[in-house]
């Protein structure tokens, strides 16, 4: 199947600090591409993969499970780590759950997390019916495109494939059990007017992780896909500040230059 316009994966070779960006459930790299471009322009090495089953048609996603999505994120992370001195993971929505799974598994290999409206639990009581419902109904209306900014649009599916949704619920349970193992610095962006992911997700995340360097920022003017919404610029700039604080490449270069000159 041909890719939806804008759903292409993206890579940029920059400096010694790398950033892996992970998109959300039924979404595509398009939702994070402006962020990726911003990081690339600032000199970072960037990887924004397309997760299996995404970016084409929702029927293709029916054949995939969370382990497939994670495997692609893990592959991209390992590739990035092979080229960079330090690696960070930035993610939106379900990508946040995958990022947390990466953090629990890879530990110190990940220098920090930037999560935007991460999903780590179900907000719909009907999800308890998914084990049976997925065999009776192939899909339900989609969750893409929850954006306040007029004219902005997310490239994603207009249907939610239920086999994949059932698998997502299994990912959430896995990640919830792993949260105490997550101790990396965290920058968390949350939209109070999110129509896809409830505040209970961030509350659960913040209550269970072991990270001591934690900053939570509210995206007051944005809906769920805040990376394409009114607060996108703030997310981009504050994530850069976060990266520079934890991996001050410019300072290291200056120190080296002074040492050689001295």
């Amino acid at each position: 199947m041909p890719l939806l316009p804008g759903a292409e994966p993206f890579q940029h070779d920059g400096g010694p600090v790398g950033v892996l960006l992970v998109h959300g459930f039924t979404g595509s790299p398009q939702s994070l591409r402006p962020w990726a471009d911003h990081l690339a322009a600032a000199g970072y090495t960037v990887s924004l993969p397309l997760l299996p089953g995404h970016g084409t048609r929702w029927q293709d996603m029916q054949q995939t499970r969370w382990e497939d999505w994670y495997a692609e994120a893990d592959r991209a992370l390992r590739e990035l780590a092979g080229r960079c001195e330090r690696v960070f993971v930035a993610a939106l929505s379900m990508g946040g759950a995958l990022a947390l799974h990466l953090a629990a598994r890879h530990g110190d290999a990940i220098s920090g997390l930037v999560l935007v409206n991460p999903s780590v639990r179900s907000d719909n009581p009907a999800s308890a019916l998914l084990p049976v419902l997925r065999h009776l109904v192939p899909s339900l209306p989609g969750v893409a495109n929850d954006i306040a900014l007029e004219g902005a649009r997310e490239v994603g599916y207009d249907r939610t494939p239920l086999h994949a949704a059932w698998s997502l619920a299994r990912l959430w349970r896995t990640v919830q059990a792993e949260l105490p193992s997550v101790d990396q610095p965290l920058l968390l962006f949350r939209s109070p007017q999110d129509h896809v992911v409830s505040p209970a997700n961030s509350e659960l995340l913040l209550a269970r992780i072991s990270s001591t360097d934690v900053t939570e920022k509210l995206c007051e003017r944005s809906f769920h896909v805040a990376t394409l919404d009114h607060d996108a610029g703030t997310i981009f700039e504050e994530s850069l500040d976060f990266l520079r604080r934890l991996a001050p490449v410019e300072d290291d270069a200056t120190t080296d230059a002074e040492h050689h000159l001295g």
Side-chain angles (χ1 to χ4, degrees):
M1 287 295 297
L3 290 181
L4 296 171
E8 304 83 9
F10 172 76
Q11 282 195 330
H12 173 78
D13 289 327
V17 178
V19 185
L20 169 66
L21 295 104
V22 190
H23 68 76
F25 184 73
T26 72
S28 75
Q30 179 263 353
S31 62
L32 299 180
R33 182 58 186 271
W35 195 3
D37 288 339
H38 196 83
L39 293 167
Y44 291 90
T45 295
V46 177
S47 178
L48 172 53
L50 172 66
L51 300 179
H54 292 74
T56 52
R57 54 182 197 145
W58 69 263
Q59 290 89 342
D60 293 331
M61 199 174 168
Q62 282 285 50
Q63 314 305 318
T64 64
R65 301 294 179 265
W66 79 260
E67 292 89 349
D68 302 312
W69 317 327
Y70 176 75
E72 177 59 17
D74 185 74
R75 181 205 62 76
L77 177 72
R78 292 175 187 273
E79 183 184 49
L80 205 54
R83 292 186 287 142
C84 298
E85 296 172 8
R86 304 279 297 276
V87 176
F88 293 81
V89 183
L92 169 68
S93 195
M94 180 268 285
L98 295 175
L100 290 162
H101 192 47
L102 287 168
R105 290 293 184 91
H106 288 276
D108 293 342
I110 294 175
S111 296
L113 302 170
V114 184
L115 305 182
V116 180
N117 293 319
S119 69
V120 294
R121 49 158 283 165
S122 173
D123 295 317
N124 188 347
S127 63
L129 303 175
L130 279 174
V132 174
L133 190 61
R134 69 191 180 102
H135 295 294
L136 305 175
V137 181
S139 69
L140 291 175
V143 296
N145 218 38
D146 186 36
I147 303 174
L149 179 63
E150 188 174 350
R153 179 177 172 271
E154 180 188 17
V155 174
Y157 296 149
D158 59 3
R159 304 293 298 178
T160 298
L162 293 195
H163 286 314
W166 167 79
S167 189
L168 174 59
R170 292 173 59 243
L171 169 63
W172 286 332
R173 286 196 294 273
T174 298
V175 169
Q176 287 173 22
E178 291 177 329
L179 287 176
S181 299
V182 175
D183 60 4
Q184 292 89 344
L186 169 66
L187 175 58
L188 172 66
F189 292 96
R190 181 172 65 81
S191 300
Q193 299 184 77
D194 188 328
H195 304 101
V196 178
V197 172
S198 78
N201 286 264
S202 291
E203 291 167 5
L204 175 63
L205 167 61
L206 294 174
R208 292 196 184 176
I209 59 172
S210 298
S211 307
T212 55
D213 183 345
V214 177
T215 304
E216 182 183 17
K217 300 278 189 175
L218 295 183
C219 299
E220 298 279 7
R221 301 167 59 225
S222 301
F223 294 164
H224 181 62
V225 191
T227 51
L228 297 177
D229 215 327
H230 290 286
D231 294 286
T234 299
I235 292 171
F236 303 165
E237 284 304 316
E238 295 198 9
S239 62
L240 274 182
D241 292 341
F242 178 76
L243 298 175
R244 287 167 176 155
R245 174 169 68 83
L246 294 171
V249 176
E250 296 86 357
D251 292 348
D252 291 346
T254 301
T255 301
D256 290 343
E258 291 174 347
H259 176 74
H260 290 307
L261 288 172

